[in-house]
Amino acid sequence: MQVNALESGEAGSLWEVDWFSLISVVALLIFAPFIVFYFVMACDQFQCSVSEPLLQLYRGDVTLLSIWARAPSFSWSAAKIYAVWVGFQVFLYLCVPDVTHKFIPGYVGGVQDGARTPAGLINKYEINGLQCWLITHALWFANARYFHWFSPTIIFDNWIPLMWCANLLGYAVSTFAFVKAYIFPTNPEDCKFTGNVFYNYMMGIEFNPRIGKWFDFKLFFNGRPGIVAWTLINLSYMSKQQELYGTVTNSMILVNILQGIYVLDFFWNEAWYLKTIDICHDHFGWYLGWGDCVWLPYLYTLQGLYLVYHPVQLSDASALAVLLLGLLGYYIFRSTNHQKDLFRRHDGSCTIWGRKPSFIECSYRSADGGLHRSKLLTSGFWGVARHFNYTGDLMGSLAYCAACGLGHILPYFYIVYMTILLVHRCVRDEHRCSSKYGKDWKRYTDAVPYRLIPGVF
């Protein structure tokens, strides 16, 4: 999306939104909730067929009202489950300082500095995501094995009622952040006002809205209600498959393993995540607030949901191919990000692929007028393509989908969505970098000409 500053370099100034960006924002605000409902409803009522609801509507076999009437509604029991879930994650996030970094070699946790904001500020964060994930899952398995407080299928059994609860939280936190930015912003100099209420609401005004010293909206909602839940949701799907069919298919195991690796990687590298686009460049609005509460847990887990309705047992060769694709994608994704992190931490004084790295020296100014210097890595995977970490991410995404076989298109929504998302991020990131670095960015793109796929794009 193209947004032009009327006063260049000032994060708190008025910005102007072009018509294409405005139309895109309004369309997403209107249609994104319906997309989530459509896919979940298709599984619940039409055996995961994407086309069948439309065909039956066209033939007159069903109506929009009859589809709506058959969908499970909001329930107070689901609201209690969701409230306990979010409350427990808030408690772990705020009240249980990280201790895992003290005894797990190589893990970086505890209080860490974030990246410099557009206004030149550096926030501190309590990194305890891995600890939250471990505690949550230890309790989950302890309940399943010993305590039996609730069924392991509790998430699947309340999936649509929980969706209404997630929507309520997503809209509530987005609206609160929107109002807060006008009344009591955390850092006024890092606010971005466009003059357009729809864009402000969706893309956010505040850069790092906080309550108190440590409750950071971006870090919490990006990493806790959705991503901690991701693996629990898959475990609930696996439990439901076992309950319905008396067995768990190798495809369900693959989805749990491959997506579990991705989630664990996220929390292992949470301190590194502070330097990524979500934290470094995105403001907090509906895009992140509602997206992390609803879009992520409901659409990123479609493969497991599909396998509850359509258990797929892959051949040994197919299962091995999917596993290898997923592991190779993860290796490229992690190795590429590790190379950049290593390069940053040592300011270029390191080795990548056995040799001293090459780079482009750049300079830029922050919103406060300060002159800063940066280095753009052109060695290792970063010399292969400018966003080769996204290439690995897409390979992993394809593996999740391929584990479901070729019977339906619904599980493949994820790879389509991720391709659109990451290509858009490439373009958006490069537009930002071009504005930030100017001629130095042109030197970098000349040195590394491809974005994702060498020789192709």
Side-chain angles (χ1 to χ4, degrees):
M1 295 178 185
Q2 303 297 310
V3 183
N4 303 313
L6 297 183
E7 298 178 47
S8 178
E10 296 187 19
S13 63
L14 184 66
W15 289 54
E16 183 181 79
V17 183
D18 64 76
W19 279 103
F20 176 77
S21 294
L22 178 58
I23 292 170
S24 300
V25 162
V26 173
L28 281 171
L29 284 169
I30 293 172
F31 292 112
F34 288 101
I35 291 172
V36 175
F37 175 76
Y38 186 86
F39 280 108
V40 175
M41 174 275 301
C43 283
D44 183 57
Q45 299 183 27
F46 298 92
Q47 289 295 300
C48 297
S49 172
V50 174
S51 60
E52 192 62 25
L54 299 176
L55 291 173
Q56 290 198 25
L57 282 169
Y58 177 76
R59 293 195 301 260
D61 297 337
V62 297
T63 65
L64 291 175
L65 287 177
S66 68
I67 290 174
W68 180 260
R70 280 159 38 192
S73 60
F74 171 87
S75 72
W76 285 109
S77 60
K80 291 174 185 176
I81 294 169
Y82 196 72
V84 169
W85 163 249
V86 175
F88 183 59
Q89 292 306 311
V90 171
F91 170 76
L92 292 179
Y93 177 66
L94 286 179
C95 303
V96 188
D98 186 76
V99 296
T100 54
H101 69 279
K102 296 181 179 180
F103 59 84
I104 299 180
Y107 173 64
V108 179
V111 177
Q112 301 291 327
D113 287 339
R116 188 181 302 275
T117 72
L121 304 174
I122 296 178
N123 293 305
K124 291 190 177 295
Y125 297 84
E126 173 66 42
I127 300 300
N128 63 354
L130 180 64
Q131 178 174 274
C132 295
W133 188 90
L134 290 170
I135 292 172
T136 301
H137 285 70
L139 289 174
W140 174 274
F141 283 110
N143 170 75
R145 181 69 178 85
Y146 301 108
F147 302 129
H148 309 295
W149 293 325
F150 53 83
S151 168
T153 65
I154 188 173
I155 299 174
F156 177 87
D157 295 338
N158 293 276
W159 195 224
I160 295 181
L162 287 170
M163 181 178 68
W164 307 129
C165 300
N167 270 281
L168 287 173
L169 177 63
Y171 277 98
V173 71
S174 303
T175 303
F176 177 80
F178 176 75
V179 174
K180 177 183 179 299
Y182 286 97
I183 300 176
F184 55 102
T186 303
N187 296 308
E189 59 270 36
D190 267 325
C191 289
K192 182 178 72 177
F193 297 91
T194 67
N196 185 281
V197 65
F198 296 108
Y199 192 94
N200 287 347
Y201 183 74
M202 178 174 174
M203 300 307 296
I205 298 171
E206 280 201 83
F207 194 72
N208 286 107
R210 289 189 170 197
I211 297 295
K213 182 179 180 181
W214 294 109
F215 189 83
D216 184 271
F217 280 59
K218 269 204 284 191
L219 185 62
F220 178 79
F221 284 98
N222 266 304
R224 298 304 188 274
I227 297 187
V228 172
W230 189 344
T231 38
L232 291 182
I233 292 166
N234 281 340
L235 288 171
S236 185
Y237 291 157
M238 187 163 65
S239 300
K240 194 66 180 181
Q241 194 183 73
Q242 172 70 38
E243 177 186 289
L244 290 174
Y245 309 108
T247 187
V248 175
T249 62
N250 58 6
S251 54
M252 180 68 86
I253 294 171
L254 280 171
V255 168
N256 271 264
I257 290 174
L258 293 176
Q259 293 187 347
I261 290 172
Y262 182 90
V263 169
L264 272 174
D265 176 88
F266 173 88
F267 287 118
W268 181 268
N269 295 284
E270 191 175 22
W272 162 84
Y273 180 71
L274 298 178
K275 308 297 193 297
T276 63
I277 189 170
D278 288 342
I279 300 294
C280 289
H281 308 297
D282 288 342
H283 290 243
F284 186 87
W286 182 88
Y287 175 76
L288 290 178
W290 180 87
D292 289 327
C293 290
V294 182
W295 186 273
L296 188 157
Y298 277 83
L299 295 188
Y300 285 25
T301 62
L302 279 175
Q303 293 77 35
L305 181 63
Y306 171 83
L307 291 170
V308 173
Y309 292 92
H310 297 277
V312 173
Q313 183 68 23
L314 299 171
S315 67
D316 291 346
S318 296
L320 180 61
V322 169
L323 179 63
L324 291 177
L325 175 63
L327 293 178
L328 177 60
Y330 172 73
Y331 170 77
I332 292 173
F333 169 78
R334 176 44 46 212
S335 297
T336 306
N337 287 326
H338 173 71
Q339 288 175 358
K340 178 188 279 188
D341 185 54
L342 181 70
F343 180 78
R344 281 177 171 171
R345 281 190 287 112
H346 297 280
D347 195 29
S349 299
C350 58
T351 58
I352 293 177
W353 287 356
R355 62 184 66 179
K356 187 176 180 180
S358 59
F359 56 87
I360 302 292
E361 188 89 37
C362 302
S363 62
Y364 67 95
R365 291 189 180 276
S366 57
D368 61 1
L371 181 65
H372 306 278
R373 297 198 174 276
S374 184
K375 294 172 180 163
L376 300 178
L377 179 61
T378 58
S379 288
F381 283 123
W382 295 98
V384 176
R386 300 196 292 270
H387 305 274
F388 208 57
N389 53 332
Y390 291 169
T391 305
D393 207 353
L394 289 173
M395 292 170 66
S397 301
L398 179 59
Y400 309 158
C401 303
C404 298
L406 301 173
H408 283 268
I409 196 173
L410 181 139
Y412 288 84
F413 169 81
Y414 186 70
I415 182 61
V416 173
Y417 163 72
M418 288 299 291
T419 300
I420 295 170
L421 173 71
L422 294 181
V423 169
H424 175 260
R425 279 196 172 185
C426 282
V427 174
R428 183 170 60 138
D429 188 44
E430 297 201 355
H431 175 77
R432 180 188 59 80
C433 288
S434 179
S435 300
K436 179 178 179 179
Y437 296 122
K439 292 183 296 183
D440 292 332
W441 181 253
K442 179 64 168 60
R443 291 167 53 215
Y444 174 66
T445 57
D446 288 342
V448 187
Y450 295 103
R451 288 185 170 113
L452 284 173
I453 306 173
V456 179
F457 175 72

